[in-house]
């Protein structure tokens, strides 16, 4: 978890690197800052998305007892695709600035592909855990991770559909769905407070961990 | 805490990325370095501010027993706004270099907004803990986090007032207040040494943690 | 391990910094994105390589009981050379874009040198552990790390041979071998699941650690 | 320690960001790479220096039982100055490329100031611990950190003298001393293997920590 935490923390703070003093003529700073609004929106949206992913990641790992090599690769797949998120986000912000309709459709298509890949990596992760109940904690029902799979599958379908609608109809349709998917994952997340209370108080070191 | 620590550590070191060899003619390095003084001042001020935030963050978390989803979102709010700090800092340093009075007022206004948002995120965090005493350690009085709320509220008011004074009267007034607010939080921080001694020696793993 | 984990996590996410919105004329985003394919390939290859290194690193450290100063320097040698990997990767991606045959050979040679240095640092690391059995956990056979040495030595030889073939014959030969070496290390990695089960369940804190 | 480890890990990997594909004409990659040698030397020197600092930092913290607010500020002082190291390193590498003698003297002077500040922050850190023996582990002699102070003081003097000699006589004198000081700290470091063995085996969680 330390490795995963570090990667998500780095990706989430790399977003801020896009916030720079705008290059403007003297006295034009205010309009320069206001013109950067697509970057602010992109920062907010990507931060929220990565925060949601982190909480889902943490919620999954509080139920995992042991990692084998297969699960580590599945986890590395999630980390690889979530590290991509700032890239299509920056591309969308860039096209929002220039406003070319063809480029906007391409950007929405790119974001949809990365979003679908991310959900696909979660599908692989959940499927692996569903097939290896020996890796989950004893208190967790064997069907728990099997029941998580549809949540990931819905994401793959939604991103691909939003990308298709964005490219074929209007980029705005895609963008709206991109903001709704993280919200969906936020509200359906199985938080720490919903896990069996027994997990929290077994040992002194466990109660310390839960407060981290 | 590992995730929060990593984010604060990354943000604090990203500040250094602004320290670059100046682009000067041959033989002009000394004056080039000296002209960069606003960046050095900005580095020092932001480092101190983020260090103060980290110590307050740590002081709060030594009193927290358990995190639920609501507290995690409140914490993510703090992390999102503190990650913004290097951005208005760079904007102020940039305007100090060019010296345009209109731009300086805009930069001070921007810094005030980010500063107020940061204090607001602490207000939300403290309020959430005040309403959920079951999340704090048993040794901590139930009113502890309720009594922290005015500290955060004072920050919101001070930043907005400093921003207004900086925009309407003179940017320097704003900048001076921006340096005083972190000092206020540094001196009113409830450090680790003020927490009940019982927290430090309960278990071997606890005493190890306190030395981290 | 926290320090090593943080460094590998940072290096692996720094790779993403190369993924930027391409600078294209309006309406040319799609072709701009498609022309970036060497960067995507380089991202994928380097991510996989660093992931394989991380897993081998973790597999080694689950067998280490204690670190002395010599082992810390050997570990710092691995970290220093793996942190170099993004650099020759970017050079290869750059030459793939421009397509100059002389430059491609130089890039392949550079990658081969860094790859050989990385394997050499593992050879030093394994040799040190083979000579200091008191640093490994009691359950691990004394010959374990001595038997790991040939794996590192093969890497040194393969990288140097691939570099020579790439420079003297054709760069493509080098590139193919560069992709095969990480695969070799992935398949010969001694994962966590192959270590004696006794390691996993000794103490509550150990079972927590294994799930991290 | 997690926070300090993360900062040192980030600073050490930020060094690699200076290693970029050189901007050369087609077919000129080899000479472009060879011309970058000051950057490679700077990377190696700074990496070694930061590695030595990290080992000294770790050696100090294995002897600390508890942190109070004063010790945290002393530690933040070390972290602030070590985070500066990549900056004068890049300035020296830059002047080595252009070769202007005046600039080289300025760069050596800058490096000397940062180096002296870093040793000064260690002096403050050791002095604070010498005055607060209640913060060190019970097994550590009370005079331990008092005896560390001269090591830091020697560094302050050496850096200032090397800087003066570099500015007044020849930059090369300064550079040679800059490489020797980290070597001095490496050889006088009190490693983990020299601490009382009792520290290593007290509790299951302690023995786990020692292998991290």
């Amino acid at each position: 978890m330390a490795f995963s935490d570090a990667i998500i923390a780095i990706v989430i703070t790399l977003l801020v690197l896009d916030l720079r003093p705008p290059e403007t003529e003297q006295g034009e700073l205010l309009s320069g800052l206001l013109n950067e609004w697509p970057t602010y929106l992109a920062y907010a949206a990507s931060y929220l998305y990565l925060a949601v992913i982190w909480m889902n990641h943490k919620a999954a790992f509080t139920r995992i007892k042991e990692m084998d090599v297969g699960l580590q690769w599945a986890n590395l797949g999630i980390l690889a695709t979530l590290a991509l998120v700032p890239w299509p986000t920056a591309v969308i912000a860039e096209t929002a600035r220039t406003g070319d309709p063809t480029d906007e459709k391409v950007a929405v298509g790119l974001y949809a592909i990365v979003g679908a890949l991310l959900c696909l990596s979660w599908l692989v992760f959940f499927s692996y855990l569903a097939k290896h109940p020996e890796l989950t904690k004893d208190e967790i029902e064997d069907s728990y991770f099997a029941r998580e799979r549809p949540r990931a599958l819905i994401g793959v379908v939604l991103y691909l559909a939003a990308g298709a609608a964005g490219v074929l109809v209007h980029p705005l349709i895609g963008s709206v769905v991109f903001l709704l998917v993280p919200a969906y994952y936020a509200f359906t997340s199985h938080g720490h407070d919903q896990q069996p209370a027994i997990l929290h108080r077994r040992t002194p070191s466990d109660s310390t961990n839960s407060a981290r």
Side-chain angles (χ1 to χ4, degrees), chain A residues 77-148:
Chain A
I78 292 175
L79 295 175
T81 43
L82 76 83
L84 290 177
V85 169
W87 173 52
T89 311
V91 173
I92 282 193
E94 187 67 33
T95 54
R97 249 189 236 114
T98 57
D100 181 272
T102 315
D103 285 356
E104 283 179 346
K105 287 181 179 178
V106 172
V108 165
L110 177 69
Y111 197 102
I113 292 168
V114 171
L117 279 176
L118 182 46
C119 292
L120 191 65
S121 71
W122 279 98
L123 186 59
V124 170
F125 182 80
F126 288 143
S127 299
Y128 192 88
L129 279 167
K131 277 177 211 147
H132 295 80
E134 75 277 9
L135 301 176
T136 55
K137 289 195 182 153
D138 303 334
E139 309 86 318
I140 306 299
E141 289 174 66
D142 280 2
S143 62
Y144 177 83
F145 284 107
R147 278 181 285 121
E148 291 284 273

Side-chain angles (χ1 to χ4, degrees), chain A residues 32 41 67 70 127 129 134 154 177:
Chain A
L41 199 69
M67 287 185 85
S127 299
L129 279 167
E134 75 277 9
I154 287 168
V177 179

Side-chain angles (χ1 to χ4, degrees), chain A residues 1 9 30 34 40 60 80 94 107 114 144 156 195 199 201 204-205:
Chain A
M1 278 295 282
L30 183 61
L34 294 178
Y40 310 146
E94 187 67 33
V114 171
Y144 177 83
V156 177
Q195 62 177 311
L199 287 184
R201 270 171 224 121
S205 85

Side-chain angles (χ1 to χ4, degrees), chain A residues 15 18 36-48 89-90 92-93:
Chain A
L15 293 170
D18 277 339
E36 293 281 318
W37 69 264
T39 306
Y40 310 146
L41 199 69
Y43 172 72
S46 289
Y47 184 88
L48 284 174
T89 311
I92 282 193

Side-chain angles (χ1 to χ4, degrees), chain A residues 185-201:
Chain A
Y185 283 121
F187 287 113
T188 59
S189 169
H190 301 255
H192 300 270
D193 51 347
Q194 296 179 27
Q195 62 177 311
I198 196 173
L199 287 184
H200 280 313
R201 270 171 224 121

